[in-house]
Every structure is written in C-alpha cells, then in structure tokens.
Amino acid sequence: MTNEAEIISRSLELVADRAGDPAPAVFERLFAEFPQAKERFARDTSGTIKGEMLNMVLECLMSPEGPYQMHLVRAERVNHDGFGTPPEEFDRFFGVVHETCRDLAGEGWTPEFEAAWRAQIARVVEGSR
C-alpha cells in the first residue's frame, strides 16, 4: 500500500468513526450538484449500485497505479458514457467523494489527508483517460 493509500485509509477510519457510512452523504452531494444524475439511479431501490460505485472509487484510490484499477476506471468511463454520464461528471464523482469525506471528518481532516486524496484522485483520473 502506498503512503497516500495509508493516509486515505486513516482518513476513512475517521469518517467512519464520526459519521458511519458516507454513502448517503456522497450521493446527496452528487444529486445536489448533478440533479440529472438522480434519474440514472431510479432502479437502485436498495442502494446496492450506489454502494458498489463508492466502493470501487475507494478501492481505486487505495491503489491507483494498479493495472486492474486503471482498466476498471477506463471501462467504467465507457460504461457510464453509455448511461449518458458526461466525462466531466464521471471525473467529478471522485471529487464529490473526497469533499464529502472531508466535510464528514470535520476538524479532524488534516493537510496530510487533503494532499493524499488530491494526489490519488489526480492519478486515477489522469491515468484512466
């Protein structure tokens, strides 16, 4: 695990301790920023798809240089295009997850956490294009 991944892991532990599951807040933020995205989740009545999406993002941030992660994000970029998700909205989801976790962590969020999240997101987004 890279140093950034270890730091992100610590930040996620803080989020879990303070707020529990971040998924509801992540998707609330996503739908506030991209209201049109909400209709794409109409069939996800149990929240399973949302949970899987969030889990994939976090897994990719924990190991962004892995060949599986880059191929996964590239494939999901194409899949989401087929669902009508514009590339900028797809990329922005990583930032939505980051900002939501930062807000949920509150004053416990550190500059080290911020730098690690930004570095990993840049690696994933740029590496998957």
Side-chain angles (χ1 to χ4, degrees):
M1 189 181 295
T2 66
N3 188 45
E4 284 94 354
E6 291 169 4
I7 295 166
I8 289 173
S9 180
R10 287 197 322 264
S11 74
L12 291 171
E13 289 172 11
L14 176 66
V15 169
D17 288 346
R18 292 191 176 199
D21 180 6
V26 166
F27 285 92
E28 181 179 329
R29 183 181 224 125
L30 178 69
F31 299 151
E33 190 167 332
F34 299 102
Q36 70 279 11
K38 191 170 188 173
E39 65 190 57
R40 290 185 216 123
F41 289 90
R43 67 184 177 102
D44 186 25
T45 57
S46 67
T48 303
I49 295 169
K50 292 179 197 119
E52 288 176 10
M53 256 179 76
L54 180 57
N55 189 50
M56 278 189 214
V57 164
L58 296 175
E59 283 183 22
C60 289
L61 292 177
M62 300 303 279
S63 184
E65 289 97 8
Y68 171 76
Q69 287 79 1
M70 284 301 106
H71 292 304
L72 173 66
V73 177
R74 283 186 195 112
E76 286 303 319
R77 186 180 294 284
V78 172
N79 287 341
H80 282 74
D81 182 56
F83 297 138
T85 304
E88 59 278 358
E89 187 178 319
F90 179 87
D91 291 345
R92 180 71 186 112
F93 185 65
F94 290 90
V96 166
V97 173
H98 162 227
E99 292 160 11
T100 303
C101 288
R102 181 189 63 211
D103 291 353
L104 292 173
E107 72 280 352
W109 194 262
T110 67
E112 181 183 47
F113 292 167
E114 187 67 20
W117 276 81
R118 287 182 182 270
Q120 296 295 75
I121 289 170
R123 284 185 187 106
V124 169
V125 171
E126 293 304 317
S128 69
R129 288 188 180 150

